[in-house]
């Protein structure tokens, strides 16, 4: 999301995708676990119950209801679009709120609250005309002032949004405003009630895509400033309204019949937040969609099984990885990082441990992403070369304690981490400790670069290499959580930001990717694939490769 648009989506039942604040960036966290469809690490940040307005009775969730879909999920960390950085929160936010631009089901950048946009010849000034039918859920029309207020709120020093600079920092004056060095943002100008101009610091072909991220979404100023608990029942502009939120039980979204892009066909979405096996609940007709775990994937893959006819797989624009903090020993030494990368057999773990549910990551950019190359760019599994790398390290004879942090609360490390630890011990003689923590604490420590090494992930927020290579690796990026710094990489990324020739631009990103993989700040592990079963009366269901508003494209025949 970057970080961009991060998230808690299941890569499968064993891979919980959590949106790590960057944008919808997500932190992909691989862990052993069941198929409960929820994310235990993404707990809600508050207590109490939202106002309810008839989202269905507590005992009739499994009952058939016209136009209702029943999904497994978990409580969002926040429903403030300017603060969200996890995929679970984003999944709700993109349905409740909207911004000037959005992504359609084919990942095209299209107008949302904007009715049209004109770009100046020099590529610096974007003039948006507001859709005359765009309105908040309470019926009040959206104005250019609402957009300006929302962008400035997201960029304000008071809010200190962790995603503001990554997604709004191209607008002239946002950085100064964020750091308290200016009282206003000159790059945001209201022309009239229906017209707003945004001026950016240099022509950037991906700028409109960044406006699809929740940091750029519109909020109701009157509600925000009059009710500190406004996120319990937000007055958004999106295709769905939050009508019920019972912590740990369920969330109900109801169709916004006056939605400016057309009333959704799906009238209601009920998210069941309680634990337990999502597949069992699906088989008991309590859910319409359920993720498939490694324990059930072979049964689902058999077309003659009871699950086979309902089973489908969906490649994701997501990656799970191990990250090293280059500001902490021993990972300030490239030889240690490369040695650890070449000592683990990622492909075997993906194919055997996870039954081929994930695709072995061959680089940072995922298949289907502009700039992706089919050749394997990652460090090969080569124990002999790994030992040779480690011998060149300044820590070869005095290795500090190595601790890798992951999200979890189990008695032992995740299943793939256990395998990595054993391979590092066997091939390099390294003893690696694992520390598990809750999701909120993980994000906080990651943002402050306190983690020596960590298991994480990223969900793309928009289909552009900038959303991962620049946002995560430029030395001045607010979402660079490893301390990676390379002047050559910075230079290439800065050239790519303004390069207007698509082929040359992608070539620059490909050069960056090769440098990053050679220096092993990240060890790419797996590209995400979602495995699900869907009831046959659900029509149009799809698992988008990124977090986008999708409910309005779905229908349920009951």
């Amino acid at each position: 999301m970057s970080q961009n648009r991060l998230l808690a989506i299941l890569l499968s039942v064993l891979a919980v995708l959590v949106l790590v604040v960057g944008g919808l960036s997500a932190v992909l966290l691989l862990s052993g676990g069941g198929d409960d469809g929820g994310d235990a690490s993404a707990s809600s940040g508050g207590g109490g119950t939202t106002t309810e307005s008839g989202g269905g009775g507590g005992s009739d969730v499994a009952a058939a209801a016209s136009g209702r879909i029943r999904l497994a999920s978990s409580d969002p960390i926040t429903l403030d679009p300017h603060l969200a950085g996890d995929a679970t929160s984003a999944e709700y936010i993109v349905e409740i709120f909207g911004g000037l631009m959005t992504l359609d089901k084919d990942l095209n950048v299209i107008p949302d609250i904007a009715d049209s946009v004109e770009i100046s010849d020099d590529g610096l000034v974007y003039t948006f005309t507001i859709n005359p039918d765009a309105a908040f859920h309470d019926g009040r029309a959206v104005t250019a002032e609402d957009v300006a207020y929302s962008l400035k709120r997201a960029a304000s020093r008071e809010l200190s949004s962790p995603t503001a600079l990554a997604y709004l920092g191209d607008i002239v004056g946002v950085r100064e405003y964020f750091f308290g060095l200016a009282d206003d943002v000159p790059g945001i100008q209201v022309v009239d009630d229906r017209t707003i101009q945004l001026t950016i610091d240099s022509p950037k072909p991906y700028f409109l895509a960044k406006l699809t991220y929740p940091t750029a979404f519109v909020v109701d100023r009157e509600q925000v400033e009059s009710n500190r608990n406004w996120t319990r029942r937000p007055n958004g502009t999106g295709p769905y309204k939050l009508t019920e939120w019972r912590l740990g039980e369920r969330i109900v979204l109801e169709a916004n019949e006056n939605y400016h892009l057309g009333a959704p066909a799906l009238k209601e979405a009920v998210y069941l937040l309680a634990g337990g096996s999502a597949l069992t609940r699906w088989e008991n007709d309590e859910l319409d969609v359920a993720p498939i775990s490694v324990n059930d994937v072979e049964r689902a893959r058999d077309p003659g099984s009871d699950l086979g006819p309902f089973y489908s797989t969906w490649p994701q624009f997501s990656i799970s990885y191990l990250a090293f903090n280059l500001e902490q020993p021993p990972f300030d030494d490239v030889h240690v990082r490369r040695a650890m990368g070449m000592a683990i057999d990622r492909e075997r773990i993906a194919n055997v441990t996870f039954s081929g549910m994930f695709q072995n990551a061959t680089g940072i950019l995922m298949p289907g992403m502009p700039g992706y190359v089919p050749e394997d760019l990652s460090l090969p599994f080569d124990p002999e070369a790994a030992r040779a790398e480690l011998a060149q390290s300044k820590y070869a004879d005095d290795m500090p304690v190595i601790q890798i942090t992951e999200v979890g609360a189990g008695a032992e490390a995740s299943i793939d981490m256990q395998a990595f630890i054993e391979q590092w011990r066997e091939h390099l003689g390294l003893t690696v400790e694992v520390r598990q923590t809750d999701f909120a604490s993980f994000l906080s420590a990651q943002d402050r670069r306190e983690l020596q090494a960590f298991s994480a992930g990223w969900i793309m927020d928009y289909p552009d290499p900038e959303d991962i290579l620049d946002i995560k690796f430029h030395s001045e990026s607010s979402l660079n959580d490893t301390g990676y710094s390379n002047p050559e990489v910075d230079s290439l990324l800065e050239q790519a930001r303004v390069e207007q020739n698509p082929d040359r631009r992608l070539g620059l990103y490909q050069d960056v990717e090769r440098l990053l993989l050679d220096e092993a700040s990240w060890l790419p592990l797996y590209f995400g694939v979602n495995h699900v079963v869907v009831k046959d009366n659900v029509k149009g269901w799809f698992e988008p490769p990124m977090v986008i508003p999708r409910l309005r494209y779905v229908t349920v025949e009951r």
Side-chain angles (χ1 to χ4, degrees):
M1 69 189 177
S2 187
Q3 229 199 16
N4 304 331
R5 281 104 201 79
L6 264 199
L7 340 167
I9 296 174
L10 293 177
L11 276 185
S12 79
V13 131
L14 285 178
V16 178
L17 225 57
V18 198
L19 215 153
V20 105
V21 121
L24 258 199
S25 74
V27 176
L28 277 177
L29 301 168
L30 293 176
S31 62
D35 61 346
D36 62 2
D39 174 18
S41 66
S43 60
S44 173
T49 303
T50 58
T51 304
E52 300 175 13
S53 61
S59 62
D60 67 345
V61 173
S66 177
R68 171 193 289 183
I69 193 168
R70 302 157 302 172
L71 305 170
S73 191
S74 59
D75 286 299
I77 291 178
T78 178
L79 288 182
D80 187 335
H82 301 157
L83 292 176
D86 67 290
T88 297
S89 299
E91 184 176 357
Y92 301 115
I93 286 171
V94 297
E95 303 291 354
I96 298 170
F97 298 90
L100 290 168
M101 309 298 293
T102 188
L103 293 169
D104 68 13
K105 61 188 298 186
D106 298 315
L107 306 185
N108 297 307
V109 178
I110 62 171
D112 181 354
I113 289 173
D115 190 45
S116 63
V117 55
E118 294 183 4
I119 306 173
S120 62
D121 291 341
D122 60 8
L124 298 179
V125 181
Y126 290 70
T127 303
F128 298 88
T129 301
I130 306 301
N131 188 322
D133 296 323
F136 290 97
H137 292 157
D138 67 359
R140 183 174 70 81
V142 177
T143 68
E145 285 287 356
D146 292 314
V147 178
Y149 163 77
S150 299
L151 294 175
K152 292 178 184 179
R153 174 183 183 266
S156 68
R157 184 175 181 83
E158 292 76 17
L159 193 66
S160 294
S161 165
T163 58
L165 291 182
Y167 296 98
L168 302 178
D170 299 320
I171 300 173
V172 171
V174 158
R175 293 183 180 276
E176 292 81 358
Y177 190 68
F178 182 87
F179 289 112
L181 303 175
D183 296 328
D184 202 358
V185 183
I188 301 175
Q189 293 293 325
V190 173
V191 177
D192 56 42
D193 280 352
R194 289 192 54 217
T195 311
I196 186 169
Q197 282 188 342
L198 303 182
T199 302
I200 59 177
D201 51 17
S202 57
K204 296 173 179 176
Y206 51 80
F207 177 66
L208 286 178
K210 283 197 169 187
L211 296 181
T212 68
Y213 187 70
T215 307
F217 284 3
V218 174
V219 297
D220 178 2
R221 180 175 188 169
E222 180 179 350
Q223 184 187 43
V224 170
E225 295 185 348
S226 65
N227 181 3
R228 68 190 188 95
N229 294 318
W230 67 274
T231 57
R232 304 303 291 173
R233 194 177 180 185
N235 186 32
T237 64
Y240 287 86
K241 299 182 281 189
L242 175 65
T243 59
E244 181 181 350
W245 181 3
R246 296 182 181 179
L247 285 174
E249 296 183 24
R250 67 180 181 177
I251 285 175
V252 179
L253 301 185
E254 181 182 292
N256 175 10
E257 298 294 341
N258 298 314
Y259 184 53
H260 55 278
L261 297 183
L266 182 69
K267 300 308 178 186
E268 187 178 69
V270 180
Y271 294 85
L272 302 179
L273 313 180
S277 167
L279 181 59
T280 298
R281 288 183 285 163
W282 183 88
E283 291 177 305
N284 291 337
D285 197 27
E286 297 170 6
L287 293 174
D288 294 305
V289 182
I292 292 295
S293 75
V294 68
N295 298 323
D296 299 296
V297 70
E298 292 305 326
R299 177 160 67 110
R301 285 171 174 162
D302 180 358
S305 74
D306 56 338
L307 299 180
F310 308 98
Y311 170 70
S312 60
T313 62
W314 302 82
Q316 300 292 291
F317 284 165
S318 63
I319 182 174
S320 61
Y321 59 88
L322 295 177
F324 301 125
N325 188 333
L326 277 62
E327 297 175 343
Q328 294 190 26
F331 299 120
D332 56 339
D333 189 326
V334 66
H335 297 296
V336 175
R337 305 194 303 267
R338 286 177 55 84
M340 292 183 69
M342 290 189 284
I344 56 175
D345 191 348
R346 299 168 296 109
E347 184 171 6
R348 177 175 175 80
I349 292 172
N351 292 333
V352 177
T353 304
F354 293 124
S355 299
M357 293 186 71
F358 310 131
Q359 180 179 344
N360 181 49
T362 55
I364 298 174
L365 298 179
M366 313 86 184
M369 180 63 53
Y372 167 79
V373 294
E375 64 183 288
D376 192 342
L377 305 177
S378 63
L379 294 173
F381 173 55
D382 188 337
E384 184 175 348
R387 287 188 288 270
E389 282 281 354
L390 193 61
Q392 298 180 62
S393 167
K394 62 185 177 181
Y395 299 108
D397 299 320
D398 187 22
M399 184 64 63
V401 173
I402 295 176
Q403 183 182 81
I404 296 180
T405 302
E406 64 180 13
V407 171
E412 55 188 14
S414 58
I415 188 170
D416 58 333
M417 185 62 70
Q418 294 179 51
F420 296 148
I421 289 172
E422 176 58 26
Q423 290 180 327
W424 287 323
R425 184 199 63 78
E426 177 184 354
H427 301 309
L428 298 177
L430 296 179
T431 299
V432 177
E433 301 174 357
V434 174
R435 170 178 172 264
Q436 292 191 333
T437 185
D438 65 274
F439 182 48
S441 298
F442 178 92
L443 289 182
S444 178
Q446 183 185 24
D447 287 345
R448 296 195 301 268
R449 294 184 184 173
E450 294 177 352
L451 304 178
Q452 183 190 32
F454 53 92
S455 173
W458 186 261
I459 302 173
M460 300 296 291
D461 305 309
Y462 44 91
D464 191 290
E466 183 270 346
D467 185 49
I468 186 169
L469 299 180
D470 198 325
I471 283 179
K472 296 300 291 183
F473 295 102
H474 192 283
S475 64
E476 296 182 1
S477 172
S478 61
L479 297 182
N480 178 341
D481 45 34
T482 64
Y484 178 84
S485 179
N486 182 331
E488 182 180 2
V489 166
D490 282 354
S491 177
L492 291 170
L493 290 171
E494 289 160 12
Q495 292 176 55
R497 290 174 184 174
V498 297
E499 177 57 62
Q500 301 301 304
N501 181 288
D503 291 337
R504 285 198 295 268
R505 184 167 177 267
L506 293 181
L508 291 168
Y509 285 127
Q510 289 165 350
D511 291 343
V512 166
E513 183 181 26
R514 286 182 169 86
L515 287 169
L516 294 173
L517 293 169
D518 185 63
E519 294 187 302
S521 174
W522 278 14
L523 299 183
L525 300 177
Y526 326 108
F527 294 135
V529 180
N530 283 2
H531 299 249
V532 296
V533 285
V534 183
K535 296 288 186 180
D536 56 9
N537 59 354
V538 176
K539 307 300 180 183
W541 182 263
F542 64 107
E543 295 281 320
M546 308 179 299
V547 178
I548 65 170
R550 64 174 164 185
L551 292 179
R552 68 191 182 98
Y553 298 109
V554 179
T555 58
V556 178
E557 299 175 356
R558 299 194 196 278

